[in-house]
Amino acid sequence: MSLTMTKEEREAFLDEVHVSIISIPESGRGPLTVPVWYAFVPEGEFHIWTGGNSRKAKLLREAGRFSLCVQQETPPYKYVSVEGPVVAIEPIQLERDLRPLAYRYMGVEEGKNFIRSLGGDSAGTGDILVRMKPERWLSEDYSKIT
């Protein structure tokens, strides 16, 4: 029996709230590997948010691709790993990008407080949205073990 998730199982899992781990190649050393929030558009792209002048942003521009690993840390363990090219880097928009991410990860009330703490209507100024088109997938769902 295969533990690999079907496309439908994978998309349902990615729709749940999980912090992902991004891995970005870095010349002369191991990849930068840190946690990030993500949004996944089924049949489409992964979106991540980062500071426009951050080390992540610099490496994403240089490498032009990245990997994400999204996992469930409690039994039954599950994960989805995806890799692909950056298809766009653009200024993040508060209403289109940042607010939905904050609400997804923090809930509406805490998300509102978080946005306020980042400057309210100017939250995200200078930050970027990075869009990646998935090319390769790996997944396992240990709940499939019977």
Side-chain angles (χ1 to χ4, degrees):
M1 167 189 253
S2 174
L3 300 180
T4 302
M5 292 182 198
T6 65
K7 179 180 173 212
E8 293 76 22
E9 291 168 335
R10 187 176 68 209
E11 289 181 357
F13 176 75
L14 292 170
D15 194 44
E16 298 170 2
V17 178
H18 302 281
V19 174
S20 65
I21 304 297
I22 190 171
S23 188
I24 312 163
E26 186 168 8
S27 181
R29 59 193 299 179
L32 174 66
T33 305
V34 294
V36 294
W37 291 351
Y38 72 90
F40 175 65
V41 180
E43 302 290 336
E45 302 171 337
F46 280 87
H47 298 175
I48 63 156
W49 158 49
T50 192
N53 295 318
S54 68
R55 181 173 167 210
K56 263 186 288 190
K58 177 183 177 285
L59 292 173
L60 286 162
R61 287 182 182 104
E62 288 174 2
R65 62 188 317 106
F66 63 92
S67 299
L68 285 178
C69 182
V70 181
Q71 67 182 355
Q72 178 171 296
E73 296 180 355
T74 57
Y77 300 110
K78 300 176 184 183
Y79 75 86
V80 171
S81 180
V82 62
E83 184 262 330
V86 170
V87 294
I89 297 176
E90 57 199 35
I92 198 157
Q93 293 181 20
L94 176 61
E95 296 305 326
R96 182 193 71 189
D97 309 313
L98 187 52
R99 192 177 306 276
L101 274 173
Y103 288 8
R104 169 180 164 84
Y105 281 93
M106 304 182 92
V108 173
E109 287 310 309
E110 286 302 313
K112 286 178 182 178
N113 292 336
F114 180 68
I115 296 294
R116 266 193 295 279
S117 77
L118 295 177
D121 288 342
S122 64
T125 301
D127 293 350
I128 58 173
L129 182 77
V130 181
R131 297 176 16 219
M132 181 258 277
K133 182 74 172 169
E135 282 185 342
R136 290 186 256 315
W137 297 90
L138 293 172
S139 66
E140 288 198 356
D141 178 353
Y142 288 92
S143 71
K144 291 183 175 188
I145 295 175
T146 57

